[in-house]
């Protein structure tokens, strides 16, 4: 026999340490996966919630403002309720553009974002542009921009992640 | 002669406790030196495996949870904005607004009871609290006739 067989056995002996290490590694990996996956998922849910909350607010406000502006525009109004001159066709156009920008993060009315690098970059870019536009549009509708952000902070603020029933 | 013959020729046989069985988990009789070798290296492998898995799984879990939370958060943001508008035009009371504000807080909405065992939620609109306030808003929304301020 087998000189070749002897060589194989000898190699196996030398590799025992590595074999045992690999067996232990796989077992540890499986156990570690179970423990950490759900914890990571909890944190992911929490983070996704906090990041999209304010965009949901903007989305709803813009939708409401578009309806109201459309109504004013259709009625041929040229001033607001306080008598200030308004070009409602232009306001409507700005709002429609703003809505289209927000909707790039939504699909069929539901937030459609992942934590991929490209999606996070897109989110950051959209949020920055939306915030800038919201700041200029809010006063037209008597809305305080800071109030919107404050609500988002109060509702989605930082929370504990290790409590039993809440994250 | 095989490898088994070599290691089984010794008198000493030892069955390790299950908790010491990192790796294959087999409980067959083995030489004590071999067992020591196995325990030493399998344990180190086990610890390294846990560490590596922790990092990877935490990230995988986060990536899977993020879109779920995003959908919930966006939906609640919409409800809150609608409620605030309704409050401004006196379509709802301050008490109703405060109730929604309280119930839609992240601490309330993300309680594990509302998720399945894998922390999944297929449709955030079926979340009891979200559905409650969505329906409430829909019943009150008639903003076509409302003025801006």
């Amino acid at each position: 026999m087998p000189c070749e067989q002897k060589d194989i056995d000898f190699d196996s002996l030398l590799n025992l340490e590595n074999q045992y290490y690999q067996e232990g590694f796989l077992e540890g990996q499986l156990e570690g996966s179970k423990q950490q996956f759900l914890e990571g998922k909890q944190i992911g849910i929490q983070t996704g919630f906090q990041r999209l909350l304010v965009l949901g607010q903007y989305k709803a406000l813009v939708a409401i403002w578009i309806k109201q502006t459309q109504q004013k525009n259709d009625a041929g109004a040229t001033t607001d309720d306080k008598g200030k001159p308004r070009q409602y066709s232009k306001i409507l156009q700005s709002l429609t553009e703003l809505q289209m920008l927000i909707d790039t993060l939504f699909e069929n009315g539901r937030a459609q974002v992942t934590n991929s690098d490209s999606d996070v970059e897109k989110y950051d870019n959209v949020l920055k542009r939306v915030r800038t536009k919201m700041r200029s549009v809010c006063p037209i509708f008597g809305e305080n921009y800071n109030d919107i952000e404050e609500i988002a902070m109060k509702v989605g603020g930082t929370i504990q992640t290790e409590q039993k029933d809440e994250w | 002669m095989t490898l088994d013959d070599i290691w089984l020729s010794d008198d000493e046989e030892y069955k390790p406790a299950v908790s010491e069985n990192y790796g294959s988990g087999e409980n067959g009789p083995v030489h004590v030196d071999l067992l020591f070798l196995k325990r030493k290296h399998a344990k180190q492998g086990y610890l390294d495996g846990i560490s590596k898995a922790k990092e990877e799984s935490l990230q995988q879990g986060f990536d899977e949870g993020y879109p779920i939370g995003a959908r919930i958060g966006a939906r609640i943001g919409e409800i809150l904005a609608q409620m605030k508008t309704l409050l401004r035009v006196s379509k709802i009371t301050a008490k109703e607004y405060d109730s929604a504000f309280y119930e839609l807080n992240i601490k309330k909405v993300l309680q594990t009871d509302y998720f399945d065992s894998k922390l999944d939620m297929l449709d955030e609109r079926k979340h009891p609290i979200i559905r409650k306030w969505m329906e409430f808003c829909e019943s009150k929304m008639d903003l076509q006739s409302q003025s801006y301020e």
Side-chain angles (χ1 to χ4, degrees):
Chain A
M1 128 157 154
C3 208
E4 189 183 347
Q5 182 63 50
K6 281 183 182 175
D7 287 345
I8 291 169
D9 290 342
F10 186 63
D11 286 344
S12 297
L13 194 56
L14 291 177
N15 286 330
L16 269 179
E17 290 182 1
N18 186 47
Q19 179 193 325
Y20 292 151
Y21 177 87
Q22 288 302 328
E23 287 172 357
F25 186 88
L26 290 173
E27 197 173 319
Q29 203 172 26
L30 186 65
E31 186 60 30
S33 295
K34 287 178 190 169
Q35 291 171 358
Q36 296 300 306
F37 184 83
L38 286 181
E39 188 178 333
K41 197 164 177 177
Q42 286 183 346
I43 299 169
I45 291 171
Q46 176 188 321
T47 306
F49 182 106
Q50 292 167 331
R51 299 201 90 192
L52 267 292
L53 182 63
V54 78
L55 269 164
Q57 290 177 275
Y58 294 152
K59 181 174 164 49
L61 284 174
V62 170
I64 292 166
W65 292 342
I66 283 177
K67 281 184 183 177
Q68 294 173 334
T69 306
Q70 186 71 59
Q71 187 185 23
K72 288 274 186 183
N73 193 47
D74 291 348
T78 54
T79 60
D80 64 18
D81 293 349
K82 290 180 178 175
K84 189 172 182 178
R86 297 288 186 196
Q87 290 184 288
Y88 286 109
S89 60
K90 283 191 174 180
I91 294 172
L92 191 59
Q93 188 182 342
S94 296
L95 289 172
T96 305
E97 287 170 5
L98 184 52
Q99 187 177 50
M100 287 170 65
L101 182 61
I102 293 169
D103 281 347
T104 59
L105 298 176
F106 289 78
E107 198 173 298
N108 296 322
R110 301 175 75 197
Q112 203 65 39
V113 295
T114 71
N115 192 44
S116 68
D117 290 344
S118 61
D119 267 19
V120 170
E121 187 181 342
K122 180 181 171 185
Y123 165 86
D124 288 340
N125 182 266
V126 168
L127 183 62
K128 187 178 174 183
R129 291 167 62 195
V130 168
R131 276 181 165 148
T132 302
K133 287 178 183 287
M134 285 296 288
R135 278 196 184 92
S136 64
V137 172
C138 275
I140 298 173
F141 299 92
E143 185 70 55
N144 186 331
Y145 172 81
N146 292 330
D147 284 352
I148 303 171
E149 299 277 334
E150 194 180 324
I151 287 171
M153 204 168 71
K154 282 182 178 171
V155 173
T158 56
I159 54 172
Q160 297 290 325
T161 57
E162 292 179 3
Q163 289 181 29
K164 188 180 176 186
D165 293 323
E166 62 192 35
W167 311 335
Chain B
M1 183 179 284
T2 67
L3 273 178
D4 284 343
D5 293 329
I6 294 170
W7 297 112
L8 291 175
S9 63
D10 196 284
D11 289 334
E12 291 185 76
E13 290 185 356
Y14 178 78
K15 285 192 174 181
V18 175
S19 60
E20 296 172 335
N21 254 348
Y22 307 103
S24 67
E26 291 173 2
N27 263 337
V30 287
H31 189 281
V32 68
D33 291 338
L34 183 59
L35 183 69
F36 175 78
L37 187 75
K38 180 173 182 174
R39 287 176 61 192
K40 179 183 174 186
H41 292 282
K43 185 175 184 179
Q44 187 57 52
Y46 184 84
L47 295 174
D48 290 349
I50 280 190
S51 298
K52 184 166 168 45
K54 278 185 177 179
E55 294 168 24
E56 290 176 351
S57 298
L58 200 67
Q59 187 61 53
Q60 285 171 2
F62 185 96
D63 292 346
E64 194 171 300
Y66 186 87
I68 298 171
R71 287 192 291 272
I72 297 171
R75 186 69 61 183
I76 288 177
E78 288 185 60
I79 294 170
L80 289 170
Q82 289 168 351
M83 290 291 289
K84 190 160 185 283
T85 303
L86 288 168
L87 179 64
R88 285 179 57 187
V89 296
S90 303
K91 281 268 190 172
I92 62 170
T93 64
K95 190 178 177 184
E96 287 169 328
Y97 177 79
D98 289 344
S99 293
F101 194 87
Y102 175 77
E103 290 182 23
L104 292 168
N105 187 282
I106 190 169
K107 289 183 181 178
K108 301 284 180 193
V109 175
L110 295 191
Q111 285 183 5
T112 50
D113 295 349
Y114 297 120
F115 294 80
D116 66 20
S117 60
K118 293 180 179 176
L119 294 180
D120 283 326
M121 184 183 289
L122 292 179
D123 191 339
E124 76 283 356
R125 292 166 293 191
K126 291 180 180 171
H127 186 301
I129 301 176
I130 293 175
R131 189 173 59 204
K132 171 188 169 182
W133 290 108
M134 274 179 73
E135 288 172 356
F136 179 84
C137 284
E138 282 167 15
S139 71
K140 300 283 183 180
M141 293 286 274
D142 180 20
L143 297 169
Q144 295 283 352
S145 60
Q146 303 305 324
S147 61
Y148 293 137
E149 295 166 62

